[in-house]
Amino acid sequence: MRIAVLEGPGAFALEDVAIPEIASDEVLVRVAACGVCTSELDVWAGTAPAAFPLYLGHEVSGTVVEVGSTVTGLAPGDRVGIWVTTRGFGEYVAVRADYCRLAGDVPLDLMLAEPLACAANAVELADVRLGDDVVVVGAGFMGNLVQQLVALRGARSLVVADLRADSLDRATRLGATRVVQVGVESLADAVADVTDGTGADITFECTGTQGGLNGIGDITRMSGKVALVGYHQGPPRSIPLAHWNWMAFTIVNAHFREVATIMRGMSIASRLMAAGIVSLAPLVTHRFALEDIDDAFRTSLDKPPGFGKAVVTF
């Protein structure tokens, strides 16, 4: 089987390796698609320290081709979204059966259960309530997912902010109450207008950048919540902590390492997608063959007009 290995910054190579053998509690999955995650871009670009070679890829979907001797509930031919932490950019992957979720009729190149699980867990932890006023800072892939899930929780208003006009067009199509192009108009003024001067009950930061953090304290109401969904890599970030203290914000770290929590999110994601309540069809915009994986990462970093999400398909 072929698998992509990152040998250095901007330099994937394809290796021929044996198809993995499975343990009694595992299944062998023929990979159909693996998404390019923003958390992997700094390593690929060489802006984050790394010990090469690396086998990236964790947003995986595919078809079960073999099951271990103790596995129940899955059979060869089942279409699944799975949670793995590595080696997703390969033609086959071995994974614990407990880490698989059935895909139903969802196209496998859209069955990216892992990132939707992250968004679902973030929205649940932030506890969006009926009638809340919510701001999503960042209209990229994760921001789009958070936006859709917040809408399901019954928010009164949902303001989405981003630098890119094309991303805001997509947020509008997804039902945002109002969109704000940062640098062109004032986000604080827009939020004040929508919330009658009170500010957001919850602000989701979905960019993973210093710019995304700037100004959050000016748009969130006193005793409101700030949910950090963006993956903050690289240099340390700064916030006006004295102001945040005074405003009595609740800080929600929307990142999860406990397997049980991750898998609960996977269950939510698969059920929502299988039922047609959440679809990734408007978000997955660029598809690449395995041999073009460097182009997939470059595109994810450059974000050309209309870009939402890149996947490698098999």
Side-chain angles (χ1 to χ4, degrees):
M1 60 166 264
R2 297 183 306 160
I3 189 169
V5 53
L6 186 63
E7 297 183 327
F12 273 105
L14 298 187
E15 289 184 348
D16 286 312
V17 299
I19 293 175
E21 296 183 2
I22 58 173
S24 61
D25 62 347
E26 292 182 326
V27 298
L28 182 66
V29 174
R30 183 173 64 246
V31 176
C34 183
V36 177
C37 180
T38 299
S39 67
E40 300 167 325
L41 294 180
D42 280 0
V43 170
W44 178 84
T47 55
F52 299 104
L54 288 172
Y55 294 89
L56 303 180
H58 57 269
E59 301 179 355
V60 178
S61 65
T63 303
V64 175
V65 295
E66 183 182 348
V67 301
S69 60
T70 64
V71 171
T72 59
L74 287 173
D78 284 342
R79 304 164 70 257
V80 292
I82 65 176
W83 177 63
V84 294
T85 59
T86 185
R87 303 182 78 87
F89 294 115
E91 292 177 320
Y92 292 87
V93 66
V95 58
R96 283 185 53 175
D98 291 345
Y99 297 166
C100 300
R101 295 295 182 268
L102 293 173
D105 295 328
V106 179
L108 287 177
D109 62 341
L110 302 178
M111 185 61 188
L112 305 181
E114 191 275 340
L116 184 54
C118 293
N121 283 330
V123 171
E124 286 211 327
L125 185 63
D127 192 22
V128 179
R129 299 187 178 188
L130 293 169
D132 274 352
D133 292 317
V134 177
V135 176
V136 176
V137 178
F141 180 66
M142 287 304 294
N144 293 159
L145 295 179
V146 168
Q147 176 187 338
Q148 292 184 78
L149 296 171
V150 166
L152 293 177
R153 303 276 286 195
R156 179 179 75 156
S157 68
L158 183 47
V159 177
V160 179
D162 202 281
L163 293 167
R164 297 185 298 150
D166 57 315
S167 296
L168 294 174
D169 289 342
R170 184 166 53 245
T172 298
R173 293 192 297 272
L174 291 172
T177 304
R178 182 163 176 175
V179 297
V180 176
Q181 187 172 6
V182 177
V184 175
E185 58 181 313
S186 166
L187 177 56
D189 288 348
V191 173
D193 181 53
V194 170
T195 65
D196 302 318
T198 302
D201 296 296
I202 305 175
T203 300
F204 290 90
E205 194 290 302
C206 299
T207 72
T209 67
Q210 179 64 55
L213 293 170
N214 295 339
I216 282 179
D218 299 327
I219 62 175
T220 309
R221 67 166 173 83
M222 183 168 281
S223 297
K225 298 176 186 175
V226 174
L228 302 177
V229 180
Y231 192 57
H232 287 270
Q233 303 178 96
R237 306 295 193 249
S238 63
I239 58 171
L241 191 54
H243 178 60
W244 285 30
N245 282 160
W246 171 252
M247 293 296 290
F249 294 147
T250 296
I251 312 302
V252 178
N253 182 7
H255 289 264
F256 310 92
R257 299 295 176 262
E258 184 182 54
V259 174
T261 303
I262 294 169
M263 297 318 301
R264 170 171 163 73
M266 289 282 290
S267 295
I268 294 169
S270 63
R271 295 179 76 174
L272 288 174
M273 286 192 285
I277 296 171
V278 174
S279 172
L280 273 57
L283 313 184
V284 177
T285 55
H286 290 68
R287 294 164 175 82
F288 297 85
L290 182 60
E291 53 266 27
D292 298 322
I293 186 171
D294 279 314
D295 291 337
F297 273 70
R298 187 174 299 106
T299 300
S300 299
L301 195 63
D302 292 344
K303 296 179 175 59
F307 177 81
K309 177 73 167 181
V311 297
V312 172
T313 58
F314 293 79

